């Protein structure tokens, strides 16, 4: 019984040690948009390099470290770019403990149905009314007793709020804020925001090196590409300047090794065959290529080698769609190899929306491995030799029990 307890302890310690050695985390901050609702988060190739191929170990966390559901979209997403036209505040009148009135002159865009306000952080709710005029004397109502709320950001000193009202062509707008039950708010900027949809382009994958070698004897050109880590490449774009007319066949392959008896044999695993032609753009679509190194061979025959000035390695963007709140700091994380693909209810609802989903980006990516503070020395229980010692002791213990069992059976 004592030996059994010792064995269980060693197994538990081995598992804990393995987990400690495997810990690594990659995080990136999500640039949040001004409005609440569904938002698309475009993943960068650098971030995807640290995630599983199927992205099953990617998670989104809010400022309180709660997990946020998302849906993976492999469609070519659209980015909504925002243009902001600042309006001029013609006059501001404040009556203490009663109201603040702002008269706003529209800009070039007269036909509007919304007004965007940049408001300094405040904890409270503000009631407002809005009217329109063409001469600043006769005012006509647009909306009454509406409320501005959620006027506080945890990461910024101001929030952006949009007021919606009936479509009109008034030259002036009058915004009346009720100060009878709360202190005035500080409106930093007023204007009109427009959004334009633009399809996202393929993303460039940064490689470690590209080496072009001319194999004169074989009448071929060999291109060796090395990456810092395994990356997914969906397309390769060649820019060829010479000769003027050419038509060359090429192939892309990776080297794979296998053990045959006592020898290590290296073989070529062909991924794709394609043609480089002076009458095409030479943007080569590839099957899913994930590698840290690959090779391209171009058949020149009796022709002079191609003058290749640039080779671009491209990746089709993938977007995570999540329901995010404005002005909340979200973090995207990956690196835990033990995680499986999450199952969220959100997947049942994203297909039902017909409106364009605004897209945001990542920034401040960090990749860290588990480290010990202090002198930087690794504790004994996290060292590799200790891990193998535990495994060895566990094996010896199993052998001991097996031998004892065999003796008992003989008796």
């Amino acid at each position: 019984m004592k030996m059994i307890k010792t064995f269980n302890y060693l197994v538990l310690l081995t598992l804990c040690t393995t987990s400690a050695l495997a810990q690594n985390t990659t995080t990136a901050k999500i640039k949040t948009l001004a409005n609440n609702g569904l938002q698309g988060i475009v993943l960068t190739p650098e971030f995807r390099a640290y995630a599983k191929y199927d992205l099953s170990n990617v998670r989104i966390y809010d400022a309180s470290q709660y997990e946020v559901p998302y849906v993976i979209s492999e469609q070519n997403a659209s980015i909504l770019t925002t243009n902001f036209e600042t309006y001029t505040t013609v006059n501001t009148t404040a009556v203490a403990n009663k109201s603040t009135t702002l008269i706003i002159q529209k800009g070039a865009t007269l036909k509007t149905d919304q007004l965007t306000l940049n408001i300094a952080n405040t904890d409270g709710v503000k009631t407002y009314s809005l009217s329109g005029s063409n001469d600043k004397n006769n005012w006509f109502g647009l909306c009454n007793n509406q409320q501005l709320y959620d006027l506080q950001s945890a990461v910024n000193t101001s929030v952006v709020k949009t007021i919606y009202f009936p479509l009109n062509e008034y030259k002036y707008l009058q915004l009346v804020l009720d100060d009878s039950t709360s202190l005035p708010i500080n409106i930093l900027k007023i204007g009109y925001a427009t959004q334009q949809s633009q399809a996202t382009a393929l993303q460039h994958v940064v490689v470690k090196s590209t080496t072009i070698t001319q194999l004169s004897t074989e009448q071929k050109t060999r291109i060796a590409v090395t990456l810092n880590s395994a990356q997914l490449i969906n397309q390769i774009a060649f820019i060829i300047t010479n000769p003027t007319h050419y038509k060359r066949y090429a192939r892309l392959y990776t080297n794979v090794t296998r053990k045959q008896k006592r020898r290590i044999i290296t073989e070529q695993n062909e991924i794709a065959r394609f043609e480089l032609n002076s009458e095409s753009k030479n943007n080569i679509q590839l099957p899913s290529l994930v590698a840290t190194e690959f090779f391209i061979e171009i058949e020149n025959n009796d022709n002079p080698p191609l003058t290749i000035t640039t080779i671009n390695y491209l990746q089709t963007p993938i977007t995570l769609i999540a329901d995010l709140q404005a002005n909340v700091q979200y973090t995207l994380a990956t690196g835990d190899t033990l995680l499986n693909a999450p199952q969220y209810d959100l997947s049942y609802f994203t297909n039902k929306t017909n409106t364009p989903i605004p897209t945001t980006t990542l920034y401040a990516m960090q990749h860290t491995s588990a480290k010990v503070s202090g002198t930087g020395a690794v504790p004994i229980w996290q060292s590799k030799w200790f891990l193998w010692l535990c495994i060895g002791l566990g094996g010896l213990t199993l052998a001991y029990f097996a031998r004892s069992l065999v003796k008992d059976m003989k008796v």
Side-chain angles (χ1 to χ4, degrees):
M1 291 300 296
K2 184 177 180 181
M3 292 297 294
I4 293 175
K5 290 182 180 180
T6 304
F7 173 70
N8 291 337
Y9 174 75
L10 289 173
V11 172
L12 179 61
L13 184 59
T14 300
L15 293 175
C16 293
T17 306
T18 305
S19 177
L21 291 173
Q23 285 180 358
N24 61 84
T25 304
T26 300
T27 61
K29 295 181 179 180
I30 301 172
K31 184 178 180 181
T32 53
L33 302 180
N35 298 323
N36 301 336
L38 294 177
Q39 298 179 24
I41 306 159
V42 180
L43 301 185
T44 62
E46 293 78 13
F47 184 89
R48 290 173 61 180
Y50 291 105
K52 289 183 180 179
Y53 175 73
D54 59 359
L55 304 178
S56 58
N57 63 340
V58 173
R59 297 294 187 270
I60 301 176
Y61 298 100
D62 62 15
S64 301
Q65 295 303 306
Y66 287 107
E67 192 170 325
V68 178
Y70 68 85
V71 175
I72 297 177
S73 174
E74 297 185 6
Q75 299 178 357
N76 197 5
S78 296
I79 294 179
L80 292 181
T81 57
T82 301
N83 298 318
F84 188 80
E85 180 185 1
T86 303
Y87 287 166
T88 302
T89 302
V90 177
N91 185 42
T92 301
T93 304
V95 179
N97 301 321
K98 186 177 180 182
S99 65
T100 299
T101 302
L102 293 87
I103 297 179
I104 305 154
Q105 182 178 358
K106 290 183 180 179
T109 306
L110 290 179
K111 192 174 183 179
T112 60
D113 62 353
Q114 56 185 281
L115 192 65
T116 300
L117 311 177
N118 189 359
I119 305 171
N121 276 351
T122 182
D123 183 13
V125 176
K126 182 62 65 175
T127 302
Y128 69 89
S129 298
L130 189 71
S131 57
S133 174
N134 288 319
D135 56 10
K136 293 187 291 184
N137 292 319
N138 299 306
W139 295 96
F140 304 95
L142 291 172
C143 60
N144 296 305
N145 296 323
Q146 301 297 311
Q147 286 187 331
L148 291 169
Y149 52 91
D150 290 337
L151 303 179
Q152 185 176 5
S153 170
V155 295
N156 299 309
T157 59
S158 64
V159 296
V160 176
K161 289 295 177 180
T162 300
I163 296 174
Y164 296 94
F165 44 82
L167 188 65
N168 67 88
E169 290 184 324
Y170 293 123
K171 294 180 181 179
Y172 302 95
L173 295 174
Q174 180 175 255
L175 178 63
V176 180
L177 303 168
D178 185 5
D179 298 334
S180 60
T181 57
S182 60
L183 293 173
I185 60 174
N186 184 13
I187 300 179
L188 306 175
K189 187 185 296 186
I190 301 177
Y192 178 69
T194 58
Q195 291 183 328
Q196 184 177 8
S197 179
Q198 180 181 0
T200 56
L202 294 178
Q203 297 171 319
H204 284 261
V205 176
V206 178
V207 301
K208 184 178 181 180
S209 65
T210 298
T211 305
I212 301 178
T213 305
Q214 304 301 334
L215 307 177
S216 303
T217 304
E218 302 178 32
Q219 294 183 320
K220 294 180 180 180
T221 299
R222 177 178 296 162
I223 304 172
V225 183
T226 305
L227 298 91
N228 292 312
S229 58
Q231 291 269 34
L232 172 65
I233 297 177
N234 300 109
Q235 185 182 119
I236 300 180
F238 296 84
I239 299 179
I240 301 171
T241 56
N242 196 53
T244 305
H245 304 286
Y246 58 87
K247 182 180 179 180
R248 309 286 171 90
Y249 293 103
R251 69 188 186 101
L252 185 149
Y253 65 90
T254 59
N255 285 333
V256 294
T257 58
R258 64 181 180 88
K259 189 174 182 180
Q260 184 177 9
K261 295 183 178 179
R262 295 185 178 181
R263 295 186 304 164
I264 301 298
I265 299 177
T266 301
E267 299 178 337
Q268 295 180 357
N269 177 34
E270 187 172 292
I271 304 297
R273 285 185 173 268
F274 55 91
E275 180 184 274
L276 297 174
N277 196 314
S278 55
E279 296 182 351
S280 66
K281 290 184 177 181
N282 293 319
N283 293 347
I284 310 303
Q285 298 288 340
L286 299 176
S288 297
L289 170 64
V290 180
T292 55
E293 184 183 51
F294 61 90
F295 302 88
I296 301 171
E297 280 189 355
I298 304 172
E299 298 178 4
N300 296 322
N301 296 322
D302 295 324
N303 302 293
L306 300 175
T307 303
I308 303 173
T309 57
T310 306
I311 304 177
N312 293 317
Y313 310 94
L314 305 170
Q315 186 179 102
T316 302
I318 285 184
T319 303
L320 304 185
I321 300 176
D323 190 2
L324 305 182
Q325 300 297 310
N327 303 306
V328 173
Q329 182 62 72
Y330 294 93
T331 302
L332 196 66
T334 190
D336 189 345
T337 57
L338 300 179
L339 287 178
N340 296 319
Q343 296 182 355
Y344 299 128
D345 295 338
L346 189 63
S347 59
Y348 297 100
F349 302 96
T350 53
N351 295 330
K352 297 180 180 180
T353 177
N354 296 321
T355 59
I357 296 176
T359 306
T360 187
T361 55
L362 302 176
Y363 71 99
M365 192 183 91
Q366 294 183 344
H367 178 70
T368 57
S369 297
K371 295 181 181 180
V372 180
S373 59
T375 61
V378 179
I380 293 177
W381 60 271
Q382 285 190 356
S383 60
K384 290 185 178 180
W385 70 264
F386 186 76
L387 172 61
W388 286 110
L389 177 62
C390 292
I391 294 175
L393 290 175
L396 291 174
T397 305
L398 285 175
Y400 172 80
F401 282 117
R403 183 179 178 183
S404 300
L405 183 61
V406 171
K407 287 183 178 181
D408 293 340
M409 291 177 65
K410 288 182 179 181
V411 173

